Amino acid sequence: MTDQTLPPDIAALSFEDALAELERIVRQLEEGKAKLDDAIQSYERGTWLKRHCESRLREAQAKVDRITIAADGTIGAESARLD
């Protein structure tokens, strides 16, 4: 898992689908019923899903601008800070 490129199946997921799968993995890991190897694989997949969700949120934030009106009446836009 050292490569920073997302696995193709995760990269193809929408934000909502990736988040839902990540939530499912977290619930499974919290239950603690999985075999160690399965838990490790789920954790690794969860890490990829988290990265994908964070990336999609950053992309969305970059697209959201706030309209501003300067003192002289000119209209402009500045990046919104959503955090």
Side-chain angles (χ1 to χ4, degrees):
M1 208 169 74
T2 57
D3 185 10
Q4 294 300 315
T5 303
L6 290 174
D9 63 320
I10 292 177
L13 293 174
S14 69
F15 171 81
E16 293 80 8
D17 290 341
L19 184 59
E21 184 176 347
L22 179 57
E23 289 171 341
R24 182 187 55 75
I25 287 172
V26 169
R27 281 192 304 275
Q28 286 177 340
L29 290 174
E30 286 176 343
E31 289 175 3
K33 296 179 183 177
K35 294 180 181 180
L36 181 60
D37 287 341
D38 294 338
I40 290 170
Q41 286 179 343
S42 291
Y43 181 84
E44 290 174 347
R45 183 162 178 86
T47 300
W48 285 117
L49 289 163
K50 177 182 174 283
R51 287 181 186 170
H52 179 60
C53 288
E54 289 172 340
S55 174
R56 297 298 301 259
L57 285 173
R58 279 191 304 274
E59 289 171 9
Q61 184 174 0
K63 292 179 182 178
V64 177
D65 288 335
R66 189 176 84 187
I67 297 173
T68 60
I69 301 175
D72 64 359
T74 58
I75 297 175
E78 68 180 41
S79 294
R81 294 188 52 95
L82 303 178
D83 50 344

